[in-house]
Amino acid sequence: MAVDRKHFVTVCIPLFNEEESLGELYGLLTAMLEGSAAGHELIFIDDGSTDGSLSALIGLRKEDRRVKIISFNRNYGKSAALSEGFRVARGDFVVTIDADLQDNPNEIPGLIEKLDEGYDLVSGWKMNRKDPITKTWPSKFFNLVTSLVSGIRLHDFNCGLKVYRKEVVKRMSIYGELHRFIPVLAGWEGFRVAEKGVTHSERRFGRSKYGVNRFLNGFFDLITVMFITRRATSPFHFFGRIGTIFFLAGGLINLYFLVLWIAGKGLHVRPIMVVGLFMIVIAIQIGSFGLLAELFTSRTDKTFTYREYSIDD
Ligand code: UDP
Ligand code: MG
C-alpha cells in the first residue's frame, strides 16, 4: 500500500536515546514514502539524547536533505518534542511515529487513507500491544477512564502512530505530558477524530522511557485537560459546585443553631457547630479559587477552530 500522490507528508519522530533504531526506521519510512506521496520530510526531534542518536541523525542528514533535525539541549519530554515538530511541519498531512520501531511505518498509508475519508485525526490503536503486563493493564484502565470522562470513544489514546491534517497540528498546543490526550484535545476542538487498528512490536533496542508512575500523573493531566479545553467544564462551575455544597451544608448546620438561639434555648459550643463554620470558610475558599482559575483560563475561549468553505472568492 502506498500514500496517495497528491499529498505532501511530514513525519515527526520524537526520540530520546534511540541510536540503534534510527537507521532502520529511516530506511523503512523512506521506502514507504518515496515516490508515493507528492513529497515528504522526516523531522527527527532529538529530545536531549545522551547516546549517539544525534550523530546518527547528522549522518542521515548528510545523505538526504529531506531529513530535518531539531535537537534539544536537554530532555524536555515527548510533548515538547512533538510540539516543536508540529510547529515546523510543512506537510498537508502530518504523521507521528515513535522512534523505537515498536510502531510499523507500513501502517501509515492505511491511516492516511482513513484520514482521507473525512477525518482530521486518525489515531493508531495497538490492538495487540507488545509490552509487559505492568504496562498493558494500567494502560487499559487509563484508556477506559479517559474515554468515559472525555466522551471521545477511543480504545488507545496514547499510540505513538497518528496521522493529522495540518490544521490540527498547527492548532494543538501540547506541553507537559499532554501528548497522551491529543485525541481528546482535538476532539473537543471540534476536529473529527477516528481510530484504526495497527500492529505493534516489542522493543528491540534500548529501554522504555516511561514507567508505571506515568499513570498516576495521567489522571492529574486528565483534570488539566478538562479545564484547558473548557469543553467538559469551566473551573468556576466545577469549584463553584463543590463550594456550594459546602456552603449549604455549613449554612444548614448553623441555621439550626440560630433557630435554637432565637427560640431562647441555651447555646453551648458543640463540635458540629465548628464543623459548620469550617464548611462555610472552606466554601468561600473553594469558590473564590474557582473564580480566580476562571479568570486565568477565560482567554482560551476567544479563539475558534473552523473550516473555511467559501471565504476566498
Ligand atoms: N521519547 C521522547 N522523550 C522522552 C521520552 C520518550 O522523545 O522524554 C520518545 C521515545 O524515544 C520514543 C517515544 O517517545 O520514540 C515513545 O517512548 P517509549 O518507547 O519509551 O514509550 P513506550 O513505548 O514504552 O510507551
Ligand atoms: Mg516504545
Side-chain angles (χ1 to χ4, degrees):
M1 204 185 209
V3 179
D4 200 305
R5 280 189 158 279
K6 50 184 198 275
H7 306 295
F8 188 97
V9 175
T10 296
V11 186
C12 292
I13 309 125
L15 63 118
F16 179 46
N17 294 342
E18 311 279 7
E19 61 178 340
E20 299 96 333
S21 311
L22 295 174
E24 188 174 336
L25 180 68
Y26 165 81
L28 290 168
L29 284 170
T30 311
M32 197 271 303
L33 288 164
E34 208 147 54
S36 64
H40 73 268
E41 60 180 355
L42 306 180
I43 304 179
F44 288 90
I45 309 101
D46 165 30
D47 184 13
S49 297
T50 50
D51 65 352
S53 293
L54 183 58
S55 34
L57 292 176
I58 292 170
L60 294 173
R61 162 90 185 164
K62 280 206 185 102
E63 303 294 319
D64 183 350
R65 305 301 283 177
R66 293 169 303 190
V67 171
K68 316 273 164 73
I69 308 169
I70 296 172
S71 180
F72 288 170
N73 287 340
R74 68 164 173 88
N75 179 244
Y76 284 95
K78 191 176 175 184
S79 287
L82 286 176
S83 163
E84 275 309 288
F86 288 169
R87 194 175 60 76
V88 300
R90 291 186 302 128
D92 315 307
F93 289 167
V94 178
V95 178
T96 60
I97 188 166
D98 284 355
D100 54 4
L101 297 168
Q102 288 196 272
D103 299 329
N104 182 355
N106 293 320
E107 298 283 359
I108 294 173
L111 291 170
I112 289 186
E113 200 175 86
K114 177 117 188 166
L115 197 72
D116 244 350
E117 283 171 18
Y119 293 101
D120 298 307
L121 161 57
V122 179
S123 186
W125 168 15
K126 306 179 288 280
M127 296 178 91
N128 189 5
R129 186 170 176 183
K130 297 290 190 338
D131 275 320
I133 200 158
T134 46
K135 248 178 168 166
T136 52
W137 281 84
S139 159
K140 280 206 170 83
F141 179 65
F142 168 84
N143 282 312
L144 185 69
V145 173
T146 306
S147 164
L148 290 176
V149 171
S150 69
I152 307 289
R153 297 278 174 254
L154 298 192
H155 296 87
D156 187 359
F157 286 86
N158 189 23
C159 183
L161 191 52
K162 290 184 171 59
V163 301
Y164 309 74
R165 280 177 205 276
K166 187 184 201 163
E167 302 86 280
V168 184
V169 305
K170 296 299 177 191
R171 170 78 189 176
M172 286 285 96
S173 133
I174 47 171
Y175 57 88
E177 299 282 294
L178 293 188
H179 61 269
R180 290 193 200 111
F181 299 99
I182 289 176
V184 175
L185 294 166
W188 280 350
E189 289 274 5
F191 290 117
R192 294 157 300 190
V193 177
E195 156 176 88
K196 187 173 188 302
V198 295
T199 51
H200 191 241
S201 314
E202 272 167 38
R203 192 179 247 285
R204 277 160 42 205
F205 310 104
R207 292 194 288 123
S208 167
K209 310 304 178 294
Y210 295 103
V212 184
N213 65 345
R214 70 160 128 186
F215 295 105
L216 182 61
N217 295 337
F219 289 109
F220 295 137
D221 289 338
L222 186 57
I223 296 173
T224 310
V225 165
M226 284 166 62
F227 289 144
I228 56 180
T229 57
R230 296 166 58 83
R231 187 48 81 91
T233 186
S234 91
F236 199 24
H237 287 181
F238 180 80
F239 290 108
R241 276 187 197 122
I242 300 175
T244 307
I245 292 169
F246 273 94
F247 192 82
L248 288 178
L252 270 178
I253 292 170
N254 285 292
L255 187 69
Y256 169 72
F257 288 108
L258 183 70
V259 171
L260 285 187
W261 182 66
I262 289 173
K265 311 263 177 203
L267 271 197
H268 319 279
V269 177
R270 290 168 49 187
I272 189 78
M273 265 170 130
V274 181
V275 171
L277 282 176
F278 258 120
M279 282 181 150
I280 291 174
V281 174
I282 289 170
I284 294 168
Q285 289 282 316
I286 294 179
S288 42
F289 178 77
L291 181 60
L292 271 184
E294 181 77 28
L295 295 176
F296 272 105
T297 54
S298 52
R299 276 179 304 149
T300 52
D301 257 3
K302 298 199 178 84
T303 56
F304 313 100
T305 51
Y306 55 86
R307 278 178 272 281
E308 287 183 8
Y309 285 105
S310 49
I311 294 194
D312 288 346
D313 46 29

